[in-house]
Amino acid sequence: DGKKYRIQIAIDMGSEKTGQISSLPARAVEMLNGCLQRVFATTSPDIALNNILAYMGEKLLCDRAYIFEWNHSDRMRNTYEWCAKGVVPQKHILQNESVESIQCLFPILEEKKVIVIDDMEQIGKQYPAAYAFFKSLDISSFAAGPIKRDGEIIGFVGVDEPDPRMMPVLKPMLEVIGYFALSLLKGRELIEHLRKIGLHDPLTGAFNRNALIEFNQQSSMPEKDK
């Protein structure tokens, strides 16, 4: 009826987090607001995730910002990636990595929420598998925050070679970004599920008329637009 409404999103961080959130650096609050704007600037979870990583990478002065996922599997894959200018993308070669290579870091993610490794050489003796994994990618410094679902780690948001000057902002950012990422990943799953049931017969599982229409549309598209 011509009235304006305000939509506000809140994340329940638990009472023990209240003090931490209220004391976040102003710069971190500003960046989190910037991430939220990018979440709601599009209806596509994939685009929103890529936009968040690009925003984080640029603001935190990193070489790469990315998301790794795994689900009831001992393998993990790099599903989203942003790279600074001149940095070689690695997503295409990180699609079937063993979770065991970084599993030793899980207790740290559970306990401290965010893991920061300023110098990769520091973990060589204590975590040889993780050291070998990161060194194979030519990573000398790294930070990551967990993505949790029902209390279980299902992936992480990470950055490579963050600028040391951004450390006061980096830690609170990565702790909260995992909540944004989980919400968008759930949205992606829902869209994939709706698309699947929209293209298949519910009784037989065979492709239906909608699938045929989509196939014909894609077949008639110019190769550059596919």
Side-chain angles (χ1 to χ4, degrees):
D1 299 324
K3 298 178 181 178
K4 294 183 178 180
Y5 288 83
R6 173 185 175 186
I7 298 177
Q8 182 169 321
I9 291 184
I11 298 174
D12 183 4
M13 302 291 290
S15 58
E16 74 278 3
K17 295 294 181 185
T18 304
Q20 295 181 27
I21 297 301
S22 63
S23 62
L24 283 180
R27 181 62 172 157
V29 175
E30 176 188 339
M31 290 182 64
L32 288 172
N33 285 332
C35 287
L36 272 176
Q37 291 174 17
R38 283 151 183 79
V39 169
F40 295 106
T42 174
T43 58
S44 167
D46 287 331
I47 293 176
L49 285 165
N50 283 316
N51 287 346
I52 287 177
L53 291 179
Y55 180 76
M56 280 181 53
E58 291 168 357
K59 295 296 183 180
L60 295 174
L61 307 177
C62 304
D63 280 4
R64 293 177 67 239
Y66 45 83
I67 290 176
F68 272 81
E69 295 179 65
W70 56 89
N71 187 19
H72 305 298
S73 170
D74 62 350
R75 315 302 293 180
M76 62 181 180
R77 61 193 184 102
N78 186 178
T79 49
Y80 300 90
E81 176 190 55
W82 168 88
C83 294
K85 186 177 181 180
V87 175
V88 178
Q90 297 178 340
K91 180 177 136 180
H92 63 288
I93 64 173
L94 297 172
Q95 293 300 304
N96 190 34
E97 302 296 315
S98 172
V99 173
E100 291 183 0
S101 60
I102 64 164
Q103 203 155 20
C104 57
L105 302 179
F106 284 12
I108 303 176
L109 289 172
E110 290 280 3
E111 179 185 354
K112 298 182 179 179
K113 305 299 183 184
V114 173
I115 182 170
V116 177
I117 302 175
D118 298 319
D119 182 1
M120 203 59 63
E121 299 302 322
Q122 296 174 355
I123 70 168
K125 293 183 179 180
Q126 188 174 5
Y127 306 113
Y131 173 80
F133 173 73
F134 290 119
K135 290 299 286 186
S136 70
L137 302 174
D138 198 26
I139 297 172
S140 60
S141 62
F142 159 82
I147 301 174
K148 288 186 176 181
R149 189 169 197 166
D150 299 325
E152 180 182 355
I153 296 176
I154 62 167
F156 65 87
V157 182
V159 295
D160 292 346
E161 320 300 344
D163 190 309
R165 295 171 297 176
M166 301 303 295
M167 285 302 174
V169 177
L170 177 62
K171 292 182 179 180
M173 277 290 296
L174 287 176
E175 184 168 343
V176 179
I177 286 297
Y179 291 93
F180 295 171
L182 176 61
S183 177
L184 291 168
L185 292 176
K186 286 182 177 179
R188 183 193 66 186
E189 290 176 2
L190 176 60
I191 290 174
E192 290 174 351
H193 174 68
L194 292 176
R195 182 176 184 278
K196 183 177 180 180
I197 63 177
L199 298 177
H200 293 80
D201 177 78
L203 183 62
T204 65
F207 285 117
N208 58 19
R209 180 183 177 86
N210 294 332
L212 179 61
I213 293 173
E214 181 178 286
F215 175 79
N216 288 332
Q217 289 175 341
Q218 291 181 348
S219 299
S220 61
M221 288 173 58
E223 192 65 32
K224 65 181 180 65
D225 295 330
K226 291 184 180 179

